[in-house]
Amino acid sequence: MKSISIFGSTGSIGCNTLEVVRSLNRHGYPVAVKYLSGNSRTEIMIQQIREFKPDAAVVFSPEGYTELKGISFPNKCEILFGEDGLKEIISRRDTDLAVNALVGFSGLVPTIECIKNGVDVALANKESLVVAGEFITQLLKQSKSKLIPVDSEHSAILQCIQGESLKEVSGIILTASGGPFRDTDAEQLQYVTKEEALKHPNWKMGNKITIDSATLMNKGLEVIEAKWLFTLDTDEIKVLIHPQSIIHSLVEFSDGSYKAQLGVPDMKIPIQYAITFPERIRSEYERPDFVSLRNLTFEVPDFGKFPCLKMAYEAAEAGASYPVVLNASNEVAVELFLDGKIKFTDIAELIRNTLDHHESCNLTDLDSVKEIDKWARNFVYDYASVLH
Ligand code: NAD
Ligand code: MG
């Protein structure tokens, strides 16, 4: 019996993870959900507690916490609050794996706490590695915990390098769908609406990552994530637009061979792989219909039209505190766009300005990461208020 916790269980990856747990249990791979955590979608959380009967659930919103505290669950599920609650359950060290499906910077501390406590992490929260890749890599060296990617591209790469020597990997190619504005003229991008930006052609995901996919910042964050996960230089990581989202990424080897991992765009497949790694367990998830697909196509990304991808490469190359600034300014800019306060193209402008005003510094610990994150957030809010 594998015992897991899910941080961010009420979100897109969280709900898909619970769907995977149901399927694994049906296929003779028993998984128990010991802990759940969510922010404000209490209705979903209540239903999840009733079905999966975790020992404890951690709620981040004060209202949600009060509401859940008032319910007497048949399994006596303990209700804990916020980051301290999450730290408390992680410190119990009684799960085999934590699925980190939190969004944004909020996922960082839980990733670090798991590694410090020797708990394996199935990492969907790419932002953890973007802002503290070096710090996390150091911690992993002193810990018995493993970091297993959930992101479909990184799961693809992990699958391709099984049985290979990392020394023979000469580069990787991350594929990107191109998002909803792949064919939109660059001049039209300033007029696109939130609703249009939220209509991803292939994947159904949370709002933040859906906007990141529309700006291609998501792919930029994934370049940084890949750099740390697979110990690569930035110039060894290429991005190709592959609108069908069937090839989830490719690895190039020193002899000129490439390996790719394919499947339908369904996060349940990489989530399951992260939970059962290195084993494979049967599933009934949809298979690609290659004959009706007919074509798998590839394009070079347009860095001029999608400056976020270019800025992410630059931040990856510059290193130090730049990726923290990139991430924080992006999180705030996306939030402002979703709130209808700025235009789609302002997202890149805000990030560019924040990066330009930042003076690089070395990140020595978690506090220094938090400090830079805070500076960048404040800078974007101030700058956005005088934008129009
Ligand atoms: P989501 O918005 O659907 O869910 C986020 C979860 O985190 C929810 O449970 C929410 O309650 C919780 N949460 C949000 N803010 C919080 C806070 N401040 N404190 C504590 N909890 C908070 O997001 P998602 O699409 O599931 O994405 C989660 C992570 O997985 C992101 O890092 C994303 O980049 C990554 N990812 C997602 C997909 C996908 O298909 N959705 C694919 C690849 C990677
Ligand atoms: Mg991805």
Side-chain angles (χ1 to χ4, degrees), residues 6-303:
I6 306 171
F7 309 151
S9 65
T10 56
S12 164
I13 292 286
C15 291
N16 269 312
T17 303
L18 289 168
E19 193 55 48
V20 168
V21 169
R22 290 187 192 101
S23 168
L24 284 172
N25 281 317
R26 279 200 306 274
H27 286 94
Y29 186 97
V31 178
V33 178
K34 205 166 172 67
Y35 303 114
L36 290 174
S37 104
N39 191 24
S40 53
R41 297 172 198 152
T42 41
E43 276 313 308
I44 301 179
M45 192 121 197
I46 292 167
Q47 183 269 322
Q48 290 178 344
I49 295 172
R50 293 199 196 285
E51 179 180 350
F52 291 93
K53 304 179 179 53
D55 286 4
V58 182
V59 192
F60 276 76
S61 86
E63 305 78 34
Y65 172 71
T66 311
E67 186 183 344
L68 263 77
K69 266 295 216 194
I71 300 174
S72 145
F73 292 101
N75 71 319
K76 307 254 182 301
C77 176
E78 189 184 354
I79 306 296
L80 299 164
F81 179 66
E83 198 168 281
D84 285 344
L86 214 49
K87 281 185 176 169
E88 154 66 24
I89 58 163
I90 296 169
S91 73
R92 294 179 190 173
R93 302 182 182 203
D94 53 2
T95 53
D96 301 308
L97 179 81
V99 179
N100 186 346
L102 294 165
V103 62
F105 197 81
S106 68
L108 175 61
V109 169
T111 299
I112 290 175
E113 288 299 312
C114 284
I115 300 171
K116 284 186 174 165
N117 282 282
V119 177
D120 289 347
V121 185
L123 189 72
N125 181 259
K126 65 193 84 185
E127 294 90 346
S128 289
L129 279 174
V130 171
V131 300
E134 190 163 4
F135 184 48
I136 289 173
T137 308
Q138 292 304 328
L139 283 178
L140 280 168
K141 285 185 187 146
Q142 303 149 23
S143 164
K144 70 176 178 64
S145 71
K146 288 193 298 288
L147 209 56
I148 308 154
V150 165
D151 220 344
S152 56
E153 297 76 2
H154 306 73
S155 174
I157 290 164
L158 180 67
Q159 296 181 51
C160 291
I161 60 176
Q162 291 310 299
E164 303 283 356
S165 157
L166 270 184
K167 285 203 307 287
E168 304 308 334
V169 172
S170 46
I172 63 170
I173 299 173
L174 300 177
T175 52
S177 71
F181 306 129
R182 186 171 59 92
D183 295 325
T184 308
D185 288 341
E187 310 77 64
Q188 293 304 311
L189 282 181
Q190 57 182 317
Y191 306 116
V192 301
T193 63
K194 167 180 150 180
E195 288 70 28
E196 288 166 329
L198 283 173
K199 246 186 237 144
H200 194 280
N202 301 346
W203 298 93
K204 205 177 166 311
M205 311 179 284
N207 282 356
K208 193 253 176 189
I209 183 176
T210 307
I211 301 301
D212 286 349
S213 301
T215 60
L216 292 202
M217 178 57 94
N218 182 48
K219 213 47 54 180
L221 299 178
E222 290 182 359
V223 167
I224 305 175
E225 181 186 11
K227 172 180 148 155
W228 294 113
L229 277 172
F230 305 111
T231 329
L232 294 164
D233 290 335
T234 315
D235 61 5
E236 294 173 318
I237 309 168
K238 303 267 183 305
V239 170
L240 271 186
I241 305 295
H242 166 50
Q244 297 81 17
S245 296
I246 295 293
I247 295 186
H248 296 306
S249 278
L250 302 95
V251 177
E252 181 194 339
F253 293 94
S254 55
D255 61 354
S257 277
Y258 286 76
K259 277 166 91 175
Q261 184 261 344
L262 289 75
V264 295
D266 179 350
M267 284 309 295
K268 290 195 283 300
I269 297 170
I271 293 171
Q272 170 160 318
Y273 188 70
I275 295 177
T276 65
F277 175 81
E279 259 187 277
R280 287 195 190 274
I281 303 296
R282 210 160 72 83
S283 86
E284 265 86 55
Y285 306 134
E286 195 188 333
R287 271 52 172 167
D289 177 353
F290 290 107
V291 176
S292 66
L293 268 167
R294 299 180 75 87
N295 288 317
L296 296 181
T297 59
F298 305 93
E299 298 159 23
V300 174
D302 183 339
F303 284 88

